[in-house]
């Protein structure tokens, strides 16, 4: 039943329910996103009708979105943007084109009028940047190749939806003399000025300003939040989305040496504010309007969940990417976004569609967001199940993921140790092995890390510890050790299984941060389990306790 609370008490109640729902989801091993959306549905008008402070919740949600995409932008340095630009553009435009075309004919087949079918088809093409970025961030896959392609693809989609909304708005402004062409020209001029401003700030202002602000980390973080919010607001004001503005705010600081500090300090605040986005999304769903559209929604949802990934896999396969990369990128477009709902609301306000069509789009959004969350969370497991049937999406050629061909890898200089994961800990392991004259081969799924270590003279390949097909191309017959510094019990067990499956007879060292996983990893076949913090603490104490000449006899 509805209850009346002041704003502070209402927010406090929502937070308490979110904690309980999140704890239950964690216990059931379910995605937290789904728990928070469920909280919104429960507390919204379709449930207990406890949410009345919509403006305040919407404000928190928008701040969370701005910070989420700002942190993503911090990782998009100009070099990476140039490297991913072509594949992101081709995949994004190709997916939008084929999804809208096929979706249009499916909608017509379901009996929808022509204009309504057009709206539905366009709504099916756009994926949720916010949800995908959050899921990839939680899985620590934003820096992977498929993560970077996915982010680029989503940015392309955001620009396309902006153009689509401008085109629809042109129907309203036809009588005022503002044509579609003039609107598009104005957007291009504004966009050019926007990018020029950011370029000038990156070149002449931020190198000096950031150094001065960094004298106080609190001030540095406060500046980052203010900059992200200001750019998101400016992007929205200029006719772009706040998402585009927030990402560009991050890109503007991505080339500074302070991006990692800023990103690390903003993660907790970002996650707290994003909670309100998911609650707000759930609270706006009016379930009473959705029942009549159930069967149509199921058909369209299946197209989004299956058809969209297939379209992306075909495009990436044609461009030469391996089936695993295409599959993981494809899963990120297996839902429709909040932009799709905005598009539907715009069409309703113009009288182009009725409430039933908006309800249909909303129901497709609810179904696809829910199911795709699980698909992305368990993407590697799904790939293992489906890999026998995915070969048709891979061309027999040199793949962009590979630095050199598999045959060249096998013929490379003999190696004694193969190290997966070249981050801070893995990099130090590599350096220590090299000091002792050990021949090392490095593997990492971050293209930038691969480039860095190649420049350092280390033979390095791009690869993912959970890729079941990758070990076949490694010189396993000559290596004495395979060392993985990648964290996560599931990733460790997957690598262990893949190595043994490919006939590796040497020794395997895996890494964990918790003692409770040591026994299970050793029982699974690991020869050594590395505990970076525990081992470092033990060595530090040993060094402190070493006798010195100053010690009494």
């Amino acid at each position: 039943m509805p209850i009346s609370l002041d704003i502070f008490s209402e927010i406090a109640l929502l937070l308490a329910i979110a904690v309980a729902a999140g704890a239950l989801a964690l216990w059931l091993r379910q995605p937290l996103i789904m728990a928070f959306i469920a909280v919104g549905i429960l507390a919204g008008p379709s449930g207990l009708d406890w949410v009345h402070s919509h403006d305040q919740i919407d404000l928190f949600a928008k701040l969370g979105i701005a910070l989420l995409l700002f942190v993503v932008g911090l990782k998009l340095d100009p070099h990476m943007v140039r490297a991913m630009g072509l594949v992101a553009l081709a995949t994004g435009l190709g997916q939008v084109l084929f999804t809208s075309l096929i979706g249009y004919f499916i909608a017509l087949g379901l009996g929808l009028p022509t204009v309504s079918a057009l709206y539905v088809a366009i709504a099916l093409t756009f994926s949720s940047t916010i949800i995908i970025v959050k899921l990839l961030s939680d899985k620590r896959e934003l820096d992977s190749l498929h993560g970077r392609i996915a982010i680029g693809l989503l940015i392309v989609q955001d620009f396309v939806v902006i153009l689509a909304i401008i085109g629809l708005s042109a129907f309203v402004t036809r009588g005022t003399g503002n044509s579609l062409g003039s609107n598009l020209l104005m957007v291009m001029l504004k966009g050019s000025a926007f990018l020029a401003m950011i370029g000038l700030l990156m070149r002449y202002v931020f190198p000096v300003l950031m150094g001065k602000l960094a004298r106080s980390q609190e001030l540095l973080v406060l500046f980052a939040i203010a900059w992200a919010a200001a750019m998101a607001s400016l992007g929205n004001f200029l006719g772009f989305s706040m998402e585009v503005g927030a990402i560009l705010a991050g890109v503007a600081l991505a080339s500074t040496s302070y991006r990692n500090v800023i990103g690390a300090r903003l993660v907790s605040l970002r996650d707290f504010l994003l909670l309100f986005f998911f609650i707000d999304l759930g609270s706006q769903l009016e379930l009473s309007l959705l029942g009549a559209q159930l069967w149509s929604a199921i058909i369209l949802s299946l197209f989004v969940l299956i058809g969209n990934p297939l379209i992306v896999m075909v495009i990436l396969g044609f461009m030469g990417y391996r089936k695993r990369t295409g599959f993981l990128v494809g899963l990120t477009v297996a839902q429709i976004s909040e932009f799709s709902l905005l598009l539907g609301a715009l069409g309703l306000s113009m009288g182009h569609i009725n409430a039933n069509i908006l309800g249909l789009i909303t129901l497709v959004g609810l179904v696809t967001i829910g199911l795709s969350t699980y698909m992305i969370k368990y993407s590697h497991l799904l790939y293992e199940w489906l890999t026998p049937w995915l070969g048709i999406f891979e061309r027999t050629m040199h793949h962009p993921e590979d630095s050199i061909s598999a045959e060249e890898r096998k013929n490379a200089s003999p190696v004694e140790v193969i190290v997966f994961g070249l981050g801070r800990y893995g990099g130090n392991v590599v350096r220590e092995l090299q000091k002792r004259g050990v021949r090392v081969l490095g593997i990492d799924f971050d293209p930038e890390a691969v480039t860095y270590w190649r420049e350092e003279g280390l033979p390095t390949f791009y690869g993912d510890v959970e890729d079941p097909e990758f070990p076949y191309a490694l010189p396993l017959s000559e290596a004495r050790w395979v060392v993985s510094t990648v964290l996560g019990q599931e990733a460790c067990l997957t690598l262990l299984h893949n190595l043994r499956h490919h006939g590796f007879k040497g020794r395997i060292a895996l890494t964990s941060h918790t003692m409770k996983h040591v026994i299970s990893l050793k029982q699974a076949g690991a020869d050594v389990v590395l505990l970076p913090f525990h081992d470092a603490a033990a060595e530090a104490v040993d060094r402190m306790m070493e006798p010195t000449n100053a010690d009494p006899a």
Side-chain angles (χ1 to χ4, degrees), residues 371-525:
L371 294 180
S372 69
T373 298
Y374 290 95
M375 292 166 65
I376 295 171
K377 180 178 180 180
Y378 300 106
S379 58
H380 299 286
L381 181 61
L382 284 174
Y383 177 78
E384 288 186 29
W385 289 350
L386 299 175
T387 188
W389 295 279
L390 298 179
I392 58 174
F393 298 102
E394 184 173 280
R395 299 170 65 189
T396 304
M397 60 178 294
H398 171 74
H399 302 293
E401 300 97 319
D402 302 325
S403 55
I404 55 177
S405 68
E407 192 63 31
E408 288 174 308
R409 291 182 190 177
K410 293 180 178 179
N411 294 333
S413 301
V415 298
E416 300 172 82
V417 178
I418 301 173
V419 177
F420 281 84
L422 301 176
R424 285 178 295 181
Y425 181 60
N428 286 330
V429 169
V430 167
R431 289 190 176 95
E432 191 62 34
L433 288 169
Q434 289 180 320
K435 286 181 183 177
R436 304 186 185 195
V438 178
R439 296 187 297 274
V440 183
L441 172 65
I443 310 292
D444 202 286
F445 80 157
D446 182 353
E448 288 186 2
V450 172
T451 301
Y452 169 81
W453 281 101
R454 284 203 194 119
E455 292 174 351
E456 291 290 307
L458 177 73
T460 312
F461 302 139
Y462 173 87
D464 192 335
V465 69
E466 296 186 83
D467 186 349
E469 299 181 6
F470 186 69
Y472 90 95
L474 297 176
L476 297 178
S477 60
E478 61 195 50
R480 295 188 293 111
W481 278 93
V482 170
V483 179
S484 172
T485 64
V486 178
L487 297 176
Q489 186 181 27
E490 183 179 342
C492 290
L493 292 175
T494 300
L495 175 63
L496 191 65
H497 169 76
N498 292 338
L499 290 172
R500 296 309 186 197
H501 177 73
H502 285 84
F504 179 59
K505 304 298 183 182
R507 308 189 72 191
I508 299 174
L510 303 175
T511 302
S512 175
H513 273 179
T514 59
M515 292 292 295
K516 66 179 182 180
H517 291 155
V518 173
I519 296 177
S520 60
L521 291 176
K522 285 191 173 182
Q523 287 177 342

Side-chain angles (χ1 to χ4, degrees), residues 117-149:
L118 180 61
Y119 268 88
V120 170
I122 296 175
L124 298 181
T125 63
F126 305 121
S127 307
S128 177
T129 303
I130 301 160
I131 292 176
I132 299 309
V133 168
K134 182 66 170 66
L135 290 170
L136 292 177
S137 177
D138 290 344
K139 295 183 68 177
R140 299 181 180 180
E141 293 183 357
L142 280 176
D143 289 329
S144 66
L145 180 63
H146 67 268
R148 296 185 179 201
I149 294 175

Side-chain angles (χ1 to χ4, degrees), residues 5 303 323 412:
L5 296 172
F303 169 62
K323 61 184 180 182

Side-chain angles (χ1 to χ4, degrees), residues 95-131:
Q95 181 266 325
V96 167
L97 174 63
F98 288 110
T99 298
S100 57
L101 186 62
I102 299 172
Y104 176 71
F105 287 108
I106 293 177
L108 288 178
L110 293 173
L112 271 62
T114 302
V115 175
S116 297
L118 180 61
Y119 268 88
V120 170
I122 296 175
L124 298 181
T125 63
F126 305 121
S127 307
S128 177
T129 303
I130 301 160
I131 292 176

